[in-house]
Amino acid sequence: MNDQTPIRDLSAAPAFGTLRRGCPLSDLRDKLRRVGLRPTRQRVSLGWLLFGKGDRHITAEVLFDEAMRSRIPVSLATVYNTLHQFTEAGLLRQLAVDGSKAYFDTNPSEHHHFFIEGEDALVDVPGEAPPEGLEIAGVEVIVRLRRKA
């Protein structure tokens, strides 16, 4: 089967009667719809920047800078709003570091992180030891609780 598979039921067909498979933008739009978000131009553009580079940890300011370099016309407020909408929809996980900086993780599954002081870098904990060339400066554990439904 190729990327342009003919559709037998044309009522579900996009233009020209073909279904595009493997199109990253189409997949992103579908992902947004599945979580109840309308795939607006700004959400799709920011989602492309967020999810197009694999799992990563990013701040709103860094995403805003990437958007400006990519000539995506958004305000910093729109970036914050979109990140919070994606987080509420379960597409991102928000991580507060030092109470002053929020990072957004494109891997929303439960996992732990190292914060590299002086570099303001957040990385996934691959196991129980710090990455090569780094040492543990301290450990802070926050267990988040919620009331049972």
Side-chain angles (χ1 to χ4, degrees):
M1 205 179 263
N2 63 21
D3 283 350
Q4 297 289 322
T5 304
I7 296 177
R8 307 242 186 272
D9 175 11
L10 294 180
S11 65
F16 308 112
T18 59
L19 175 63
R20 294 176 16 156
R21 294 186 189 273
C23 173
L25 285 176
S26 180
D27 293 346
L28 178 58
R29 286 184 188 101
D30 291 343
K31 183 180 206 174
L32 293 173
R33 284 187 191 100
R34 279 194 304 273
V35 297
L37 292 174
R38 213 166 39 90
T40 63
R41 181 178 38 86
Q42 290 175 324
R43 285 183 185 142
V44 170
S45 296
L46 292 173
W48 178 257
L49 291 175
L50 276 168
F51 303 113
K53 297 179 181 179
D55 289 342
R56 64 195 202 130
H57 309 92
I58 191 166
T59 64
E61 292 78 14
V62 169
L63 183 59
F64 177 72
D65 288 342
E66 288 182 9
M68 291 298 96
R69 284 194 307 273
S70 298
R71 296 190 176 143
I72 297 170
V74 293
S75 67
L76 183 57
T78 298
V79 170
Y80 271 105
N81 289 338
T82 301
L83 288 170
H84 289 295
Q85 291 165 354
F86 285 7
T87 300
E88 288 173 19
L91 298 176
L92 297 174
R93 183 172 166 205
Q94 184 174 352
L95 306 161
V97 177
D98 289 338
S100 62
K101 187 172 270 192
Y103 286 83
F104 295 86
D105 191 343
T106 59
N107 175 1
S109 70
E110 291 294 322
H111 61 282
H112 303 289
H113 297 89
F114 286 123
F115 179 71
I116 304 173
E117 295 177 345
E119 296 178 27
D120 291 337
L122 196 64
V123 295
D124 291 342
V125 173
E128 295 192 21
E132 183 71 30
L134 298 172
E135 63 182 13
I136 296 175
V139 176
E140 297 176 36
V141 177
I142 298 172
V143 178
R144 299 178 192 265
L145 301 174
R146 66 175 164 226
R147 298 204 182 273
K148 294 180 180 179

